[in-house]
Amino acid sequence: MRAALPSWGAALLPALLAAPATAQEPAPEPAGIGLLAGLHGGTSRGVTGTAKWLDSFFIDDRIEVEDNRSHLLLRNDNRWRESDPASHTLDIRARLRLPALEERLELAITGADEEDDPTAEGLATTDEEGEAESGVTDVALRFVQDASDTLNLRYASGARLRGLDGAAGFVGVRYRQTLPMPEKWTGRLIERWRWYTDTGWESRARLEFDRKLAPGFLGRLQATADADQPREGWFYTAGPRLFQELSDNRVIRYELQGYWASAEKEWFRQGAARLHYRQRLWGNWVFAELVPAVVWPRSRDFEPTPELLLRVDAYFSERHAEPRARRGQSPSRTAPTAAFTAAPAPGP
């Protein structure tokens, strides 16, 4: 049965899809507010600045996890898939910076695994597997170490709550390294390793290469791999992404992804084509995202299956409440990266 779009969703869709006439865009807030402070649109940003601008606009896990300030993210997802009932999830992610060890200690609570969202920057997780993780809550104490401008480490210890299925403790480390690349390219490697008391070890890795193609366009090649003790072999995704900046308030991301498993007889698991249209709705706080997609899952004999995701994010950060003189200044960050580690915002 194909799920019907709720009345509020039908009312919101035209507002998202309608392109503003001319200068009808919401006026950007002062340049000192938000993650993108000090960055401006057009060709003035290099490839590194453009990639961080776009990832912050989508509240990519790379940006959110590396935000050293206290913040709260409320994410409301409504998903429709052909022949399946509609699903709704409310994800709550919070991070509280603790006044200890020069602000390097933080308490993090996430309503879902920050790196398991298949519609965002998830690893080798298909759409169906990502939905299966929707009942998970992680509570962790993290120690932040910015070793240099190009190296970021986070050590974590906490508990994973699985609703009625109980809880498990874990320890782990997250590693992000900027890679040396030719001019006009940037590259980074992100690795997260954990050990759980009930299921054993888990490894998740992501490799990304970015290149600015033209004013307002960024290309990205991304490959991911994960493995864990309960499952045999490695699980991979790979594919290109194209970001298009329509304005300081609106961005489109086009993507193609393939999913593979090394130990399975039928190694190809799923193909997917998605279009992410994201727009700021109000201030530096509320964003809406519309994601039409077609997936070809092996579980349905690779028949094309239409999907639609409607996402609304509300992001609140202590950065919005700080005096302007203190913004971008924290002992736990180096000066060149301070502008990129505060609350996400859609424009300078």
Side-chain angles (χ1 to χ4, degrees), residues 52 66 145-153 175-180 187-189 334 336-337:
K52 290 179 178 178
E66 295 173 17
Q145 180 184 0
D146 290 325
S148 68
D149 293 349
T150 60
L151 177 61
N152 178 276
L153 293 167
Y175 167 95
R176 192 262 300 152
Q177 173 72 57
T178 301
L179 305 175
R188 59 192 158 272
L189 171 66
T334 57
T337 60

Side-chain angles (χ1 to χ4, degrees), residues 10 54 59 62 68 89 93 116 141 171 173 199 201 211 233 253 272 308 318 327:
L54 292 165
I59 315 183
R62 176 171 71 98
N68 290 345
T89 57
R93 303 178 184 177
D116 275 349
L141 193 64
V171 294
V173 61
T199 58
W201 60 267
R211 192 184 195 282
R253 186 176 83 207
L308 180 66
E318 67 172 312
R327 291 175 186 151

Side-chain angles (χ1 to χ4, degrees), residues 98-308:
L98 303 178
L101 300 177
E102 296 184 337
E103 300 180 347
R104 294 183 182 274
L105 202 61
E106 61 187 25
L107 177 66
I109 302 173
T110 61
D113 194 325
E114 292 169 325
E115 300 180 28
D116 275 349
D117 183 356
T119 66
E121 301 291 333
L123 297 183
T125 304
T126 65
D127 298 56
E128 295 170 346
E129 292 168 337
E131 291 179 1
E133 290 288 325
S134 60
V136 169
T137 299
D138 283 353
V139 181
L141 193 64
R142 293 173 176 165
F143 178 76
V144 180
Q145 180 184 0
D146 290 325
S148 68
D149 293 349
T150 60
L151 177 61
N152 178 276
L153 293 167
R154 267 167 170 70
Y155 307 92
S157 177
R160 166 159 288 192
L161 312 178
R162 298 190 174 95
L164 298 178
D165 294 331
F170 67 83
V171 294
V173 61
R174 183 184 185 274
Y175 167 95
R176 192 262 300 152
Q177 173 72 57
T178 301
L179 305 175
M181 297 291 295
E183 188 179 0
K184 299 182 179 180
W185 287 84
T186 62
R188 59 192 158 272
L189 171 66
I190 300 174
E191 166 73 21
R192 193 196 73 183
W193 183 90
R194 283 184 178 180
W195 182 83
Y196 295 92
T197 57
D198 59 345
T199 58
W201 60 267
E202 171 189 87
S203 173
R204 300 185 182 276
R206 184 162 90 229
L207 184 64
E208 295 177 342
F209 300 102
D210 294 335
R211 192 184 195 282
K212 198 168 185 179
L213 303 176
F217 288 88
L218 179 84
R220 172 172 295 170
L221 297 175
Q222 176 174 297
T224 66
D226 66 7
D228 51 59
Q229 191 167 335
R231 298 184 296 176
E232 182 182 355
W234 286 84
F235 298 82
Y236 305 98
T237 67
R241 299 186 177 198
L242 176 66
F243 296 83
Q244 180 182 5
E245 298 179 48
L246 302 179
S247 72
D248 286 342
N249 300 308
R250 298 179 297 127
V251 175
I252 293 179
R253 186 176 83 207
Y254 313 87
E255 64 182 49
L256 297 172
Q257 282 186 300
Y259 299 75
W260 297 268
S262 65
E264 296 180 6
K265 184 177 181 180
E266 298 181 10
W267 51 274
F268 188 71
R269 310 175 72 206
Q270 176 178 286
R274 301 186 181 93
L275 183 150
H276 298 248
Y277 175 87
R278 189 167 174 92
Q279 178 173 325
R280 178 173 71 164
L281 293 185
W282 183 70
N284 278 339
W285 312 89
V286 183
F287 307 85
E289 186 173 343
L290 184 66
V291 187
V294 178
V295 299
W296 292 266
R298 187 177 62 193
S299 60
R300 300 190 181 195
D301 296 324
F302 299 108
E303 289 291 326
T305 304
E307 295 183 348
L308 180 66

